[in-house]
Amino acid sequence: MRLLSLGYGAGAGDESALNFCTDKVRSTIRNEVNCKDVPEGLEHIAIDMAAGEFLLSKKTFTPDDLDGFDLGYAVKQIQQGDTNTVFAAGEGSLTPEQRLTAFINYLLNYGRAELNAYRRIRW
């Protein structure tokens, strides 16, 4: 569901890669916080990290699968009073591949500091 909300429709052939990425992220988080399962408060981070892992593997091994993945529009500014939203379409000198790489890095690293709140001491 998260990949779909990001603009990537996973196909039937993506199931094993998605399972691998999910297992990998869950194992990483469990090892980092020293718990038997991913704490409920970290599920949203695990989902984004798994999406980032999946997109990174797609970008590395089958980049043609990401041709329809559009990162051309990013929100530049949001103003709440009198609602004003500005999109940064084509802004900056980043190529589409650089924008994809930055987005994947965001997914992989966002919320890492929250893992500290769930960390348990190992003896």
Side-chain angles (χ1 to χ4, degrees):
M1 295 297 289
R2 179 64 170 141
L3 286 171
L4 191 57
S5 74
L6 296 173
Y8 181 82
D14 294 329
E15 186 176 345
S16 63
L18 282 169
N19 287 335
F20 175 79
C21 291
T22 302
D23 290 344
K24 179 181 177 183
V25 167
R26 293 182 83 71
S27 177
T28 298
I29 291 174
R30 285 193 312 260
N31 289 334
E32 184 77 24
V33 299
N34 192 29
C35 291
K36 292 183 181 185
D37 200 15
V38 175
E40 186 177 332
L42 297 177
E43 284 291 331
H44 65 287
I45 293 170
I47 291 168
D48 276 354
M49 286 175 69
E53 286 285 345
F54 177 77
L55 291 173
L56 181 61
S57 69
K58 280 291 185 183
K59 179 182 175 238
T60 303
F61 298 110
T62 56
D64 292 341
D65 289 353
L66 296 176
D67 283 344
F69 196 69
D70 183 21
L71 292 174
Y73 291 98
V75 177
K76 176 182 174 184
Q77 174 186 1
I78 296 176
Q79 178 182 351
Q80 286 183 327
D82 293 332
T83 310
N84 178 24
T85 304
V86 178
F87 292 96
E91 184 161 294
S93 59
L94 295 179
T95 65
E97 182 177 357
Q98 289 171 325
R99 285 195 303 267
L100 178 60
T101 300
F103 181 65
I104 290 171
N105 286 334
Y106 167 80
L107 289 172
L108 290 172
N109 296 307
Y110 171 77
R112 284 262 182 186
E114 289 184 44
L115 273 61
N116 294 334
Y118 293 89
R119 185 168 289 145
R120 296 175 55 192
I121 297 174
R122 291 184 189 166
W123 293 100

